[in-house]
Amino acid sequence: MQFETLPTLEPGDVLQIRCTYNNSTENPYVVKALKEANMISTIDVAYGEGNTFDEMCVAGLSLVYPMP
């Protein structure tokens, strides 16, 4: 891929990430995960990558620039 075809950021540009969670029993995926974990109710969500119930919204940013 050529550098000219990549998206560019300019000074003052702002990047945002927004994640929406539905940790309720109205979400069939939560119900399934609870059943697989032998749990009967949801738990408080915390940052981590340890299990299905942890928060998993993380963004990474890589920069590419031509060498002078």
Side-chain angles (χ1 to χ4, degrees):
M1 178 177 275
Q2 297 294 320
F3 287 116
E4 294 80 20
T5 62
L6 295 173
T8 58
L9 295 174
E10 301 296 332
D13 284 352
V14 176
L15 302 177
Q16 292 182 317
I17 182 171
R18 184 178 91 185
C19 302
T20 304
Y21 298 96
N22 179 354
N23 193 26
S24 74
T25 54
E26 299 297 315
N27 181 338
Y29 298 106
V30 170
V31 173
K32 180 181 177 195
L34 288 170
K35 184 176 180 182
E36 290 172 356
N38 294 319
M39 297 172 62
I40 58 172
S41 65
T42 58
I43 58 175
D44 290 338
V45 175
Y47 175 78
E49 300 173 4
N51 69 50
T52 304
F53 300 104
D54 290 338
E55 177 185 329
M56 295 183 194
C57 181
V58 178
L61 177 65
S62 297
L63 301 175
V64 178
Y65 54 93
M67 297 297 289

